[in-house]
Amino acid sequence: MVGMTPDAGQRSEDVGISLVGVSKAFGRGDRRTAALCDIDLDIAPGSFVSVIGPSGCGKSTLLRLVAGLLTPDSGTIRVLDTSPLQACRDKLIGLVPQSPALLPWRSVLDNVRLPFQVNRAGGRRSSAHRVEGATLDPAEVLAAVGLGEALEKRPAELSGGMQQRVAVARAFAFGAPVLLMDEPFSALDELTRESVRHRLLDLWQAHRKTVLFVTHSVAEAVALSDRVIVMSSRPGRIIADITIGIARPRGPAVELSEEFHDAETQVRLALRKGWADAA
Amino acid sequence: MPPELRADQDPGSSALVGVAPAPEGAPGEDSRSGPLRRGAAVVLPALVALVVVGVVWQLLATHNRYLLPRPAATWSQLAHHPGLFASDARTTLVEALLGLGIGFVAAVVLAVLMSQVRVVQRAVMPLAVVLNVTPVVAVAPAMVVAFGFGRTPKVIVTSIIVFFPALINALTGLRSSDPRVLDVMATLHASRRETLWRVQLPSALPNLFAAARVCLPLSVIGAVVAEFVAPGSSAGLGTLITQASSNNQLDRVYAAIICLAAMGVALTLVIAALERWLLAWSRHARSDR
């Protein structure tokens, strides 16, 4: 059940993100708690994979490991066939954190330009990876997420949903082929969430990137993903790997279909089974 | 000096506390009664308090002629010797600003080093605390022995007094960057310098301005205290106060005090204006939260 996907036997250059036997614990001595236990996961390049699970199941830890913000205690992680740190050096990773994390003194447009301005050498190296990920015009990406009118505004002048769309545009525009999104819409209300999600879907369908998307929301996971990875807590491990077969491109109407509800139910049942096993 | 004193009331209650000052009342001039009334509501209490202080001063002075000069006598000192007060004020101002500049820049540079290199923090912090708890008045004579009666000991004393609050505020500011922004910078493999310039220093600006608002009055204190201890150069408002009080010229002492207060007000207003201009984004961000 764990991580056995159709991509399992692929050649190494076809790996988007791969984790083999990854474990991570926090704390020392008696207080040491395992956050992730023996995780195997392969994500094909250009696919959209969501990780869902209860709080404390280590899904954010998983994402931070892939982003190179944490190092695993054991196991190996590869991002486009390099280490996470090398991937950061080559600017292959676009991170969308939980809060928009914009620079309040910069305009919306200048916030999206930030990744272009730092580590310029990394940008040149990333083109050597010959993967999907040409740089896009920041203003065009902002227009695509519905912020064409807000280019010169400061983040504080925008609503929470608009700020989060700026964060998505920032991760998208500079050409990283891998996107890591850590519950990016969790602070938004349901309706805003839905509209931001559709914007993200449109953008992703236009520019395929390998996406690892951490979320609490079943609907969000099903609507966006090719696969949904379900995790259980303490220690975090993968308990189900569900392929979402809904055809693309997906629009807002998909979320009303029978197929969508079936997939949602499947994910929900897997989540419940995780709770039952834990209890 | 009613104009300066009135100005004193405004920043005292607003700029120092960080609330938008005077200009709120200014639109009152364009005819409508609403803003006018609001302007009056801001200015009137301060004006009344000022008049009360003036009256109390006059009464006290009338009954204690040898302890307190009358306001009119103080005013006439200023009116009859403007050159004297102006040149002494300039001397003190230059000492204060030089000391402020040196102490502030040294503190910020050191705070940057401390935030980047842990060993530096461990080495410097205890020293900085010792420097902070040592009474600067006690240090001043030693500085005079070492550096003579010129400008140098005054500038050094001033920069010492300014250094610690600037250091602590700068450190706090440098650590106040949004950790998620730092995560984004890390995944871009931004260099330390890029992160410092593009994220940490701008995030620290509100704290640096808070430090400036604390350090400005301190710098004037530093300069005056140093002049008390080392009056040899026979210039500066502190020196003027020492000389005048030993000659029993109380009106001159009070005139010098008023000059010092006016200087403090003017400097505070400059900082407040700079802050409004540079930190427009910060006000937005704060009201948003």
Side-chain angles (χ1 to χ4, degrees), chain B residues 185-266:
Chain B
M185 294 299 272
T187 55
L188 293 168
H189 207 259
S191 68
R192 276 185 171 198
R193 204 197 306 160
E194 284 171 330
T195 307
L196 181 69
W197 279 109
R198 295 187 189 275
V199 179
Q200 288 169 301
L201 276 175
S203 309
L205 269 185
N207 292 77
L208 291 181
F209 271 102
R213 267 182 279 148
V214 174
C215 290
L216 257 182
L218 281 180
S219 73
V220 178
I221 292 176
V224 170
V225 164
E227 285 171 4
F228 283 167
V229 179
S233 61
S234 75
L237 289 171
T239 310
L240 184 68
I241 288 174
T242 316
Q243 288 170 345
S245 66
S246 61
N247 292 335
N248 222 4
Q249 292 175 296
L250 267 187
D251 44 0
R252 186 167 279 197
V253 170
Y254 275 77
I257 292 172
I258 287 175
C259 283
L260 284 170
M263 195 191 290
V265 169

Side-chain angles (χ1 to χ4, degrees), chain A residues 64 67 69 88-89 95 98-99 101 103-106 117-119 154 156 170 174, chain B residues 178 180-181 183-190 194 198-199 202-203 281 284-285 288:
Chain A
R64 294 178 71 78
L69 298 170
C88 290
R89 263 184 216 121
L95 179 71
Q98 248 174 52
S99 67
L103 302 179
W105 54 88
R106 281 181 169 231
Q117 293 161 345
V118 299
N119 183 15
R154 294 273 162 87
R170 175 179 62 189
F174 73 97
Chain B
D178 182 346
R180 288 181 174 134
V181 173
D183 283 350
V184 170
M185 294 299 272
T187 55
L188 293 168
H189 207 259
E194 284 171 330
R198 295 187 189 275
V199 179
S203 309
W281 59 266
H284 277 303
D288 185 54

Side-chain angles (χ1 to χ4, degrees), chain A residues 196-278:
Chain A
V196 179
R197 164 161 97 222
H198 295 144
R199 300 278 191 181
L200 170 63
L201 201 55
D202 289 344
L203 201 58
W204 182 76
Q205 280 164 172
H207 313 278
R208 289 287 180 114
K209 292 172 187 283
T210 310
V211 181
L212 181 61
F213 187 92
V214 168
T215 180
H216 269 126
S217 156
V218 175
E220 210 164 85
V222 172
L224 291 167
S225 313
D226 298 312
R227 280 161 65 202
V228 177
I229 309 293
V230 182
M231 293 183 68
S232 74
S233 57
R234 283 177 242 289
R237 65 177 100 231
I238 295 173
I239 52 169
D241 181 347
I242 298 162
T243 303
I244 309 293
I246 304 170
R248 292 190 191 271
R250 299 174 190 166
V254 166
E255 295 179 25
L256 306 171
S257 70
E258 194 76 9
E259 210 181 359
F260 184 87
H261 287 296
D262 288 348
E264 234 182 4
T265 310
Q266 207 181 341
V267 174
R268 240 177 254 286
L269 287 175
L271 273 170
R272 277 192 200 158
K273 189 169 175 302
W275 292 332
D277 291 349

Side-chain angles (χ1 to χ4, degrees), chain A residues 143-221:
Chain A
V145 295
L147 291 171
E149 307 290 305
L151 299 184
E152 293 309 322
K153 290 195 170 163
R154 294 273 162 87
E157 298 172 69
L158 307 181
S159 69
M162 291 161 100
Q163 289 185 21
Q164 204 48 274
R165 278 186 268 158
V166 178
V168 169
R170 175 179 62 189
F172 239 93
F174 73 97
V178 175
L179 278 194
L180 303 176
M181 309 179 83
D182 188 3
E183 299 184 37
F185 312 140
S186 59
L188 307 179
D189 65 84
E190 189 57 38
L191 289 176
T192 313
R193 257 182 116 114
E194 214 172 297
S195 91
V196 179
R197 164 161 97 222
H198 295 144
R199 300 278 191 181
L200 170 63
L201 201 55
D202 289 344
L203 201 58
W204 182 76
Q205 280 164 172
H207 313 278
R208 289 287 180 114
K209 292 172 187 283
T210 310
V211 181
L212 181 61
F213 187 92
V214 168
T215 180
H216 269 126
S217 156
V218 175
E220 210 164 85

Side-chain angles (χ1 to χ4, degrees), chain A residues 53-65:
Chain A
S55 296
C57 72
K59 50 193 192 304
S60 284
T61 304
L62 180 78
L63 184 126
R64 294 178 71 78
L65 284 165

Side-chain angles (χ1 to χ4, degrees), chain A residues 97-168:
Chain A
Q98 248 174 52
S99 67
L102 303 175
L103 302 179
W105 54 88
R106 281 181 169 231
S107 70
V108 163
L109 185 58
D110 283 340
N111 263 289
V112 177
R113 281 180 181 151
L114 175 74
F116 291 85
Q117 293 161 345
V118 299
N119 183 15
R120 287 165 187 259
R124 285 193 289 278
R125 280 198 301 276
S126 79
S127 58
H129 289 264
R130 280 173 289 123
V131 282
E132 169 73 37
T135 59
L136 306 168
D137 178 38
E140 276 174 30
V141 179
L142 281 165
V145 295
L147 291 171
E149 307 290 305
L151 299 184
E152 293 309 322
K153 290 195 170 163
R154 294 273 162 87
E157 298 172 69
L158 307 181
S159 69
M162 291 161 100
Q163 289 185 21
Q164 204 48 274
R165 278 186 268 158
V166 178
V168 169

